[in-house]
């Protein structure tokens, strides 16, 4: 699994980092600027929660190939 | 139509000719009523009607002939995220009241100019920077509570909801707390009033005061927010005097009363919900989701946008120059997104618009969240049981665009 971030649409709500601080690391103005984030198996649930928390809908989850 | 008096004293008003008669309403959205209205249930009647309507009873200073209102969560998101069609220009126009022409910044700017200047202040209010204030906020909350806990009662707004965020905020700006009643009165004249003269006077008072502070910080810069703005450089260009004025004015107004208002509604709700108090006292994780939920359930602010061109917006024939008013509390009680709207402390996901949406998302939101969370934690630890004073007549304000309680007398068992 990996996380895809539409960084141009991030508005700095920081709700993703609240839900999953280890996965979503904010820059010094509190925004996401990493377009792709790798997710290990034990982080998948928290990754989904962080992505679902984004009010702007700019975080999507790409499931690993079966 | 609600059965409450109009908060506004303007005479009869008429919608512009391009607005279809069947879309025109005269709906009171600035008056919440009294003590029984501790949720925003008065707004939920709007969802039954239609997604967009034209309200004659709009902000009388900016939209004397009414404004479009969107009632659905989905449409409000569309409005707030489309700065090209829905501009933030001329949203409040405070400077015109005193014969000047600076914008409230970043509030009244559109991208890309908006982002250019907002970048100057964003690092000062980032989640990381705000987190460093946690202990200081907790200590302040504890000190305030220690000042009245033994009394078994307090007027919550004046003794806690106002001084907690205001004292922290004034420290960030390095302004004297002993003048906070003046500052609150000035801010109130703007964001709690549609009286043009009251608003003009308050604008002048704040403008004059901040001019002196800016001059003083220019001469003796410190590490406070105002000094940071005075020395601000936006993409290589030093901020102009008007930009400094607009930024300082905006931050001054924005930091003074919205957290207090949210604390008022939140603690009124907690006073009636002992089980929720016990859960929140025991569960730190729950306090995080609860803060988002309180900001959703008691969304105290609203915003306006101005149409940049003619458009048919979901059946509403909007014209360039029309205003759209976004009352966040309407979107945040939309049943399609939030069900029956009742407070759910562990609500997830919770994509509320209480802090706005899109590029203008509340700059102070990370500070506000932190203050709300720490206030819950410290208060519930010290005063776990409390209720609204029996017989208290609670009154609210909403004119000017920010909802809140005027007073909230709370009582608790004395130790």
């Amino acid at each position: 699994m990996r996380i895809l971030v539409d960084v141009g649409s991030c508005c700095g709500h920081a709700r993703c980092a609240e839900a999953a601080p280890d996965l979503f690391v904010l820059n010094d103005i509190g925004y996401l600027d990493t377009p792709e984030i790798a997710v290990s198996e034990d982080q998948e649930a928290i990754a989904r929660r962080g992505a679902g928390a984004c009010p702007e809908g700019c975080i999507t989850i790409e499931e690993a190939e079966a | 139509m609600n059965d409450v008096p109009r908060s506004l004293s303007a005479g009869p008003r008429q919608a512009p000719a391009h607005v279809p008669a069947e879309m025109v309403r005269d709906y009171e959205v600035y008056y919440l009523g009294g003590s029984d209205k501790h949720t925003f249930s008065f707004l939920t009647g709007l969802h039954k009607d239609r997604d967009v309507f034209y309200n004659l009873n709009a902000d009388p200073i900016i939209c004397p002939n009414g404004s479009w209102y969107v009632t659905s969560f989905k449409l409000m998101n569309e409005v707030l995220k489309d700065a090209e069609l829905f501009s933030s220009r001329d949203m409040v126009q405070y400077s015109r009241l005193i014969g000047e022409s600076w914008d409230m910044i970043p509030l009244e700017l559109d991208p890309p100019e908006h982002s250019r200047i907002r970048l100057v202040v964003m690092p000062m209010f980032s989640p990381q920077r705000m987190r460093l204030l946690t202990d200081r906020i907790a200590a302040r909350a504890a000190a305030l509570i220690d000042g009245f806990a033994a009394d078994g009662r307090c007027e919550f707004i004046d003794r806690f909801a106002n001084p907690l965020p205001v004292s922290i905020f004034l420290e960030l700006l390095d302004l004297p707390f002993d003048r906070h009643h003046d500052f609150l009165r000035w801010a109130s004249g703007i964001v709690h009033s549609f009286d043009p003269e009251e608003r003009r006077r308050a604008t002048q008072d704040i403008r004059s005061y901040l001019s002196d502070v800016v001059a003083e910080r220019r001469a003796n810069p410190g590490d406070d927010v105002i000094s940071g703005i005075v020395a601000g450089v936006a993409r290589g260009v030093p901020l102009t005097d008007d930009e400094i004025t607009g930024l300082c004015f905006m931050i001054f107004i924005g930091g003074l009363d919205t957290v207090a208002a949210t604390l008022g509604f939140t603690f009124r709700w907690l006073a009636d919900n002992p089980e929720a108090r016990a859960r929140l006292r025991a569960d730190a994780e729950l306090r995080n989701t609860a803060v988002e939920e309180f900001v959703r359930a008691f969304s105290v602010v609203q915003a306006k946008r101005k149409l940049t061109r003619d458009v048919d917006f979901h059946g509403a024939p909007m014209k360039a120059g029309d205003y759209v008013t976004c009352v966040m509390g309407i979107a945040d009680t939309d049943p399609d997104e939030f069900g029956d709207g009742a407070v759910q402390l562990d609500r997830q996901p919770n994509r509320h618009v209480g802090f706005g949406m899109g590029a203008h998302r509340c700059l102070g939101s990370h500070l506000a969240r932190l203050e709300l969370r720490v206030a819950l934690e410290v208060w519930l630890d010290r005063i776990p049981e409390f209720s609204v004073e029996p017989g208290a007549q609670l009154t609210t304000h909403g004119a000017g665009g920010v909802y809140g309680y005027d007073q909230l007398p709370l009582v608790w068992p004395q130790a």
Side-chain angles (χ1 to χ4, degrees), chain A residues 11-15 18 26-31 49 52-57, chain B residues 81 122-123 126-128 285 288 292 348-351 356-358 361 366 369:
Chain A
C11 292
H13 295 265
R15 301 281 301 278
E18 172 73 40
L26 306 175
N27 65 15
D28 66 355
I29 57 166
Y31 283 51
R49 198 166 131 185
C54 179
E56 307 284 342
Chain B
K81 288 182 188 182
M122 284 206 284
S126 71
Q128 302 91 313
E285 179 61 31
N288 288 331
E292 295 301 331
Q348 283 191 67
N350 188 353
R351 302 187 192 93
M357 192 62 66
R361 186 265 316 159
H366 309 304
R369 285 192 176 100

Side-chain angles (χ1 to χ4, degrees), chain B residues 363-382:
Chain B
L363 180 68
S365 60
H366 309 304
L367 176 59
R369 285 192 176 100
L370 179 63
E371 289 174 339
L372 294 169
R373 181 169 64 74
V374 171
L376 282 177
E377 181 181 341
V378 175
W379 181 288
L380 291 174
D381 181 55
R382 289 174 183 239

Side-chain angles (χ1 to χ4, degrees), chain B residues 229-243:
Chain B
I229 291 171
V230 169
V233 176
R235 299 232 168 94
V237 183
L239 296 179
T240 65
D241 286 351
D242 275 356
E243 288 166 350

Side-chain angles (χ1 to χ4, degrees), chain B residues 6-203:
Chain B
R6 287 166 66 112
S7 58
L8 321 173
S9 54
R13 279 171 280 180
Q14 202 172 2
H18 67 276
V19 179
E22 71 273 16
M23 302 191 86
V24 178
R25 301 286 182 277
D26 190 353
Y27 200 98
E28 175 58 76
V29 295
Y30 294 109
Y31 182 79
L32 284 81
S35 59
D36 57 329
K37 300 268 183 78
H38 62 88
T39 70
F40 288 6
S41 54
F42 77 110
L43 291 172
T44 57
L46 288 167
H47 302 120
K48 297 191 200 94
D49 199 349
R50 52 167 72 238
D51 289 345
V52 192
F53 69 98
Y54 194 90
N55 196 8
L56 293 173
N57 198 359
D59 179 335
I61 297 178
I62 306 297
C63 334
N65 294 313
S67 164
W68 295 101
Y69 281 64
V70 291
T71 65
S72 83
F73 178 80
K74 182 173 161 293
L75 264 49
M76 202 172 290
N77 269 271
E78 284 184 31
V79 171
L80 295 173
K81 288 182 188 182
D82 188 349
E84 187 272 320
L85 181 56
F86 299 100
S87 167
S88 292
R89 301 292 306 165
D90 306 326
M91 197 203 295
V92 292
Q93 303 179 20
Y94 298 147
S95 66
R96 292 187 200 180
L97 294 170
I98 55 170
E100 299 184 3
S101 61
W102 41 270
D103 298 307
M104 280 276 274
I105 299 176
L107 188 78
E108 293 186 295
L109 296 184
D110 291 324
E113 186 64 356
H114 167 265
S115 345
R116 185 180 75 86
I117 299 186
R118 184 166 155 138
L119 270 169
V120 174
V121 281
M122 284 206 284
M124 304 179 197
F125 294 95
S126 71
Q128 302 91 313
R129 283 284 286 276
M130 296 300 98
R131 206 170 297 129
L132 302 175
L133 301 173
T134 307
D135 291 346
R136 210 194 303 174
I137 298 169
R140 182 66 39 79
L144 288 169
I145 295 168
D146 287 346
F148 53 67
D151 302 341
R153 69 176 307 282
C154 79
E155 199 289 278
F156 180 77
I157 304 296
D158 186 54
R159 299 294 300 278
F160 190 77
N162 275 333
L164 177 63
V166 167
S167 64
I168 298 296
F169 178 71
L170 293 179
E171 276 179 25
L172 291 176
L173 271 60
D174 193 17
L175 296 179
F177 182 72
D178 61 15
R179 292 207 64 189
H180 84 279
H181 282 115
D182 287 336
F183 299 156
L184 286 170
R185 194 180 69 248
W186 296 343
S188 184
I190 292 179
V191 298
H192 298 164
S193 171
F194 282 134
D195 176 337
E197 176 49 27
E198 187 179 359
R199 193 178 276 195
R200 188 199 62 75
R201 208 178 322 121
T203 303

